[in-house]
Amino acid sequence: MDIAAARFAREGAPTPAVVQPPAGPLSARQLEVLRLAAAGRSNKEIALSLGLSPATVKSHLATVQAILGARNRTDAAGRARALDLL
């Protein structure tokens, strides 16, 4: 029996992740940046469309990820959708 099969037999199937409510409210600008990121836009494209610097967009996304407990922008978008924020 390989390691993965042994672990599955011991622990059972992994439980699905539960999306927790955000740690705090997202600002209107953070939601706007998140919507564009969720639509697949790059930081540079988001910056150009909102009149921000790419560094500001990166900062907004980092804050959103921290508030939502997300690992990356894709995870943040998924959590936001699960919480009906998008």
Side-chain angles (χ1 to χ4, degrees), residues 12 20 40-42 46 54 56 59 63 66 73 78 80 85-86:
Q20 298 295 323
R41 312 270 298 282
S42 69
I46 295 168
T56 301
S59 176
T63 302
R73 67 198 290 145
L85 298 175
L86 293 180

Side-chain angles (χ1 to χ4, degrees), residues 49-69:
S49 67
L50 298 179
L52 302 171
S53 75
T56 301
V57 171
K58 187 175 179 178
S59 176
H60 281 313
L61 287 171
T63 302
V64 167
Q65 288 171 216
I67 290 171
L68 295 178

Side-chain angles (χ1 to χ4, degrees), residues 5-85:
R7 182 174 179 201
F8 182 81
R10 184 177 63 248
E11 298 174 11
T15 57
V18 176
V19 178
Q20 298 295 323
L26 296 177
S27 71
R29 181 62 94 183
Q30 290 166 341
L31 280 171
E32 193 172 16
V33 168
L34 181 58
R35 279 188 192 100
L36 293 171
R41 312 270 298 282
S42 69
N43 288 359
K44 187 174 181 179
E45 291 170 330
I46 295 168
L48 287 171
S49 67
L50 298 179
L52 302 171
S53 75
T56 301
V57 171
K58 187 175 179 178
S59 176
H60 281 313
L61 287 171
T63 302
V64 167
Q65 288 171 216
I67 290 171
L68 295 178
R71 295 180 306 271
N72 53 48
R73 67 198 290 145
T74 304
D75 189 28
R79 288 171 183 260
R81 284 189 189 100
L83 294 166
D84 290 326
L85 298 175

